[in-house]
Amino acid sequence: AQTVTQSQPEMSVQEAETVTLSCTYDTSENNYYLFWYKQPPSRQMILVIRQEAYKQQNATENRFSVNFQKAAKSFSLKISDSQLGDTAMYFCAFMIQIQGAQKLVFGQGTRLTINP
Amino acid sequence: EADIYQTPRYLVIGTGKKITLECSQTMGHDKMYWYQQDPGMELHLIHYSYGVNSTEKGDLSSESTVSRIRTEHFPLTLESARPSHTSQYLCATHSGTDYNEQFFGPGTRLTVL
């Protein structure tokens, strides 16, 4: 089975705090990529960060970093110095090969609210 | 500027109507996808295309159909809309180069009464 589980439906933190969103996944594939996408209210889904599964080093992108534990199939997202603009739904996903293309398998999402 | 366009953004329609959701892109990408997203839920792949004249079904069974006559255009059609089709439909593109990110359009929120 190809599944992604995000166990935190909602989270809320104060501005400038650090927050970690959890994600676990299950796949039998050896070669895959992991993603965190952000979907602000009524706005377009955009990429936050990407991790190649064959790389041990955790990806970082400014205030966003991941903790990738391949053996545990865990892929958490840490947001440092959170800002009001970080308020959004966050989706964890992995990408696998399908016939002629690549598909994303998404988790249920975590609704993150940053409070002033 | 490279982008993905979806029209309409919002659509409220009665049961039994035929509708077409438009998706067009200036990204120059070969691969295009339709995902369905129920409110507060994950996205599920319903259709995809890896090039002109190719269309494939995704994981989630859907009564919709798609076509890919031009690289830039990937419309989704419902012949007879029902309340169960109420959802958000997101179009995405992908360059197909390794496992680069998929880029998403703004979505169409469909309500069938």
Side-chain angles (χ1 to χ4, degrees), chain A residues 72-92:
Chain A
K73 295 184 178 176
S74 170
F75 183 59
S76 62
L77 173 70
K78 184 170 85 170
I79 306 173
S80 302
D81 186 26
S82 58
Q83 301 174 359
L84 297 179
D86 295 333
T87 293
M89 281 289 288
Y90 286 81
F91 290 95
C92 176

Side-chain angles (χ1 to χ4, degrees), chain B:
Chain B
E1 182 180 339
D3 211 341
I4 303 166
Y5 306 92
Q6 288 190 245
T7 57
R9 292 291 312 279
Y10 302 91
L11 179 61
V12 180
I13 201 163
T15 296
K17 300 291 186 183
K18 178 180 178 179
I19 59 169
T20 296
L21 307 185
E22 302 287 349
C23 176
S24 60
Q25 53 114 347
T26 55
M27 308 289 286
H29 291 166
D30 287 331
K31 307 196 179 169
M32 298 187 73
Y33 306 78
W34 278 104
Y35 290 88
Q36 184 174 339
Q37 182 184 26
D38 291 332
M41 302 288 285
E42 68 263 46
L43 287 73
H44 291 285
L45 181 69
I46 51 174
H47 297 285
Y48 69 97
S49 165
Y50 47 83
V52 171
N53 293 325
S54 87
T55 60
E56 301 288 342
K57 290 189 179 296
D59 302 321
L60 187 66
S61 176
S62 174
E63 293 164 347
S64 58
T65 59
V66 292
S67 63
R68 188 89 182 275
I69 298 171
R70 302 197 324 260
T71 299
E72 312 81 45
H73 198 214
F74 191 42
L76 180 146
T77 298
L78 277 166
E79 290 293 332
S80 179
R82 296 207 300 270
S84 60
H85 297 139
T86 294
S87 190
Q88 175 155 255
Y89 294 84
L90 295 174
C91 179
T93 72
H94 185 232
S95 68
T97 302
D98 293 330
Y99 288 84
N100 289 334
E101 66 181 285
Q102 288 186 7
F103 294 86
F104 286 83
T108 293
R109 188 170 296 280
L110 172 66
T111 302
V112 184
L113 303 175

